[in-house]
Amino acid sequence: MAPIPGSGLAKGLAVTLRTMTKKTVTEQYPDVQPDLPPRTRGVIGLFEENCTVCMLCARECPDWCIYIDSHKETVPPAAPGGRERSRNVLDRFAIDFSLCMYCGICIEVCPFDALFWSPEFEYAETDIRDLTHERDKLREWMWTVPAPPALDPAAEEPKEIAAARKTAEKLAAQAEQREGES
């Protein structure tokens, strides 16, 4: 059976009339900030102290938008008679957000938790060259990273926290013992 001529036009007009009767909702964006979901992907923040310059983030980035420069530094032995060690020192860490596709692979592959998603999204620039954020700017974004969700109260304490607490208690006991001796 052939469709009735003009039935598509009638359906389109029906949709238009239905939409016209609904109340519109306008977000007054610059004046009123939107309520963003907790896991919003805005910009990537760098926690520089955790970065070991392993280069995993730069190697795994499909857009090659992460630039890292470093140099090796010799560290004196921790104990007398020990050997010197070398470690990488971060010289430059930059992300070109004009190339970044916000996939989050760099954050997922970082074994030392140096990269985090920040919900900030207001970093537009008039010049595309200004979208390459160096480590100082990436460090500033870290202050906007939300705290991780609370742990389940019934869950056991993480091993790292338990070990840190034991060490702190041991050091406090040693300090008390020294004060008692003097």
Side-chain angles (χ1 to χ4, degrees), residues 10 24 27-28 36 51 64 71 98 108 113 159 182:
T24 59
E27 297 283 336
Q28 302 297 328
L36 300 172
C51 183
W64 291 78
H71 69 275
S98 65
E108 291 174 20
D113 288 335
K159 294 176 185 128
S182 55

Side-chain angles (χ1 to χ4, degrees), residues 37-40 116-119 141-151:
R39 294 180 57 183
T40 300
F116 295 89
W117 280 119
S118 167
W141 293 119
M142 273 306 296
W143 298 112
T144 63
V145 172
L151 296 174

Side-chain angles (χ1 to χ4, degrees), residues 56-131:
L56 276 175
C57 55
R59 279 184 288 184
E60 294 297 323
C61 179
D63 291 332
W64 291 78
C65 65
I66 300 175
Y67 310 109
I68 301 174
D69 291 330
S70 67
H71 69 275
K72 289 201 180 282
E73 206 172 75
T74 304
V75 179
R83 65 183 181 121
E84 291 182 338
R85 303 208 179 252
S86 65
R87 69 178 181 108
N88 288 327
V89 177
L90 186 65
D91 292 329
R92 179 180 187 224
F93 193 105
I95 299 177
D96 187 351
F97 286 105
S98 65
L99 296 175
C100 182
M101 65 181 187
Y102 303 92
C103 62
I105 292 174
C106 57
I107 295 169
E108 291 174 20
V109 300
C110 182
F112 302 104
D113 288 335
L115 298 172
F116 295 89
W117 280 119
S118 167
E120 292 296 315
F121 59 92
E122 296 176 324
Y123 54 95
E125 299 288 345
T126 56
D127 188 359
I128 196 168
R129 291 172 287 192
D130 294 335
L131 283 172

